[in-house]
Amino acid sequence: MRQGGAGTGPDRSGGSGLLGVDRPEAVLAAFRRGEPEVGVAVIGLALRHADPQVVLPVVARAMESADREVRRQGVIALAHVARLHRTVDRRCPELLRGCPRGNEADDDLWSFVPHRELPLWLWRHHLWERLVDRLRRPFG
């Protein structure tokens, strides 16, 4: 993926190039410009950046967006961060709580992040699933 010089942001030709974004400042600049494809860039950042503590504030920004599609893409980005880095901050689960249950991030947070780091509401959401699993495997 090509990234332009200072202030030009990522190359958007073809759309899929935004998945190659690995610089948080490029994504934040896309937010400031009101880029319609900024959610794709957030997903790309989540997939490519090595530091989840740098990525998660950008994910939170996407999850706070007025644009429904950007919010959905923020949830997908959060799922990727959980899967790849096995961690989450405090802000993203707060924002996730306002999303419909059963999304990608609900399941990936539960599957990949240590449960002691997860909020109580997510425990309650998965309680029934855990209970059914225990009943199916009573001796395992």
Side-chain angles (χ1 to χ4, degrees):
M1 181 200 126
R2 293 176 305 170
Q3 289 188 358
T8 61
D11 174 23
R12 291 186 26 201
S13 60
S16 65
L18 291 173
L19 285 174
V21 173
D22 59 0
R23 297 179 340 195
E25 62 274 6
V27 180
L28 292 173
F31 271 114
R32 285 190 295 277
R33 290 190 304 271
E35 296 277 346
E37 304 283 329
V38 69
V40 176
V42 174
I43 294 170
L45 182 67
L47 288 170
R48 297 178 55 93
H49 200 281
D51 186 354
Q53 300 312 314
V54 171
V55 175
L56 287 167
V58 180
V59 170
R61 177 134 185 215
M63 293 174 70
E64 293 174 315
S65 175
D67 184 313
R68 181 178 174 188
E69 182 63 11
V70 173
R71 285 193 312 268
R72 185 185 72 79
Q73 291 164 330
V75 169
I76 292 168
L78 178 58
H80 287 308
V81 171
R83 192 176 323 110
L84 295 171
H85 301 288
R86 300 182 184 280
T87 191
V88 70
D89 62 0
R90 290 186 189 267
R91 181 72 180 131
C92 287
E94 288 174 13
L95 295 167
L96 185 63
R97 188 173 190 179
C99 298
R101 297 285 55 88
N103 60 60
E104 299 89 345
D106 279 353
D107 296 337
D108 282 0
L109 285 171
W110 188 255
S111 297
F112 297 104
V113 175
H115 292 164
R116 68 184 176 279
E117 295 179 21
L118 299 175
L120 185 58
W121 67 263
L122 194 57
W123 277 81
R124 284 191 304 260
H125 169 66
H126 285 280
L127 182 62
W128 180 253
E129 178 183 307
R130 288 178 53 95
L131 199 57
V132 168
D133 187 49
R134 289 274 186 187
L135 292 172
R136 287 184 182 154
R137 296 182 300 140
F139 302 107

